[in-house]
Amino acid sequence: MVVKGFPLIKFQSEERIESLQNGLIYMNSLEWFRNNESDNGDEVIGDSFEAMFHINEGKFILPDTGEKIEIKDGLIQTTSSNDYAYCMFGVNPYSKNFSFTDEQKENIQNFGDTALLILDKDEFFNRLRTAALKEGYEIYGGFVQYYDETQDSLNLILSLLSGMHNIAFWKRKKYCYQQEFRFLVHTQNCEKDHLELNIGDIRDISKVFKTSKILNAEVVKIK
């Protein structure tokens, strides 16, 4: 089977995958991901650091009073902390050969028993972007980068110079097995815990598999 562009895969229940093929993109808020770890102890899907600026040690100066506040192992909210995310597994486009690791097999099977493989990632991007812009939303996409939270990351800080939304494309290194490719949607109203976009039927650019079959597959780059 030939895939145009790098492979993107969504692992979920059979019911959710069927809904996705019908064109429904269900996006949870980043706050929902934070609460899922903080309140429920879920470290597979949940992440209490999600889109928060983490500081190991530093000082925050209040501009009005000049008061200095020391911060140790603190999380600071940003303008993108309550945006909406759609998460998929992405195979590195520069990899000549790819196989799932044992850690990935063990953890990803918890996401759902069904997998949807996108056969044409550019067309999928276009449909998602068109639907978002039609609703007046800002949309961004890219691979998530992973960092060591015990050290302040200079690369993370530098990425914010290109836009604060980039904070949502950084996660702690314990999540690196997810190899996440993420779509981020910013809206003026972020009170809801989820967002829905309908991009139309995508059966022409996708194929359904059992999760177990995908996890034992090998990806080989043709060119």
Side-chain angles (χ1 to χ4, degrees):
M1 178 181 301
V2 177
V3 175
K4 293 182 180 179
F6 56 84
L8 282 177
I9 309 166
K10 185 68 174 179
F11 296 97
Q12 275 186 322
S13 66
E14 183 178 3
E15 181 181 2
R16 282 290 183 91
I17 291 298
E18 182 178 1
S19 180
L20 173 56
Q21 277 208 304
N22 288 333
L24 179 63
I25 303 293
Y26 185 99
M27 312 180 79
N28 285 309
S29 71
L30 296 176
E31 182 181 24
W32 181 90
F33 287 104
R34 291 196 299 273
N35 292 340
N36 219 39
E37 180 180 6
S38 298
D39 298 344
N40 304 323
D42 181 356
E43 294 183 296
V44 176
I45 297 176
D47 180 359
S48 58
F49 280 48
E50 190 69 77
M52 301 286 281
F53 185 52
H54 177 253
I55 297 178
N56 280 290
E57 188 171 358
K59 290 184 179 180
F60 183 72
I61 302 176
L62 298 178
D64 294 336
T65 64
E67 180 185 357
K68 296 180 181 180
I69 300 175
E70 289 192 5
I71 301 174
K72 290 187 177 181
D73 193 24
L75 293 171
I76 299 176
Q77 195 168 41
T78 72
T79 54
S80 290
S81 295
N82 293 325
D83 287 347
Y84 299 88
Y86 192 73
C87 313
M88 305 183 78
F89 186 96
V91 175
N92 188 325
Y94 300 106
S95 297
K96 293 183 178 180
N97 294 279
F98 170 78
S99 297
F100 288 90
T101 66
D102 290 339
E103 181 187 14
Q104 288 172 328
K105 291 178 181 179
E106 180 180 354
N107 286 284
I108 291 175
Q109 65 181 347
N110 296 318
F111 292 179
D113 61 0
T114 308
L116 185 74
L117 172 65
I118 300 299
L119 303 177
D120 187 339
K121 62 98 176 171
D122 286 341
E123 180 59 26
F124 182 69
F125 288 2
N126 289 335
R127 295 182 192 185
L128 186 52
R129 187 180 299 110
T130 298
L133 295 179
K134 184 178 180 181
E135 297 295 330
Y137 303 149
E138 296 176 33
I139 184 168
Y140 308 92
F143 277 97
V144 168
Q145 301 184 71
Y146 300 92
Y147 69 98
D148 181 353
E149 70 275 16
T150 65
Q151 302 176 25
D152 292 328
S153 172
L154 177 61
N155 287 332
L156 188 161
I157 295 171
L158 290 176
S159 74
L160 302 184
L161 297 177
S162 300
M164 187 55 69
H165 66 273
N166 284 316
I167 192 68
F169 293 89
W170 288 86
K171 297 188 70 171
R172 287 173 286 172
K173 65 179 182 179
K174 70 177 184 177
Y175 295 99
C176 67
Y177 71 88
Q178 295 179 357
Q179 285 188 212
E180 184 180 336
F181 189 96
R182 166 172 291 189
F183 295 97
L184 184 76
V185 167
H186 177 77
T187 72
Q188 295 302 316
N189 185 347
C190 56
E191 295 178 355
K192 297 180 180 179
D193 65 355
H194 73 278
L195 192 71
E196 295 182 6
L197 285 175
N198 196 315
I199 64 172
D201 193 292
I202 60 169
R203 286 177 173 80
D204 60 322
I205 57 168
S206 64
K207 189 173 179 61
V208 177
F209 297 89
K210 286 292 185 182
T211 293
S212 57
K213 185 173 183 179
I214 284 286
L215 292 179
N216 287 294
E218 181 181 3
V219 178
V220 179
K221 190 173 182 179
I222 297 176
K223 293 182 181 180

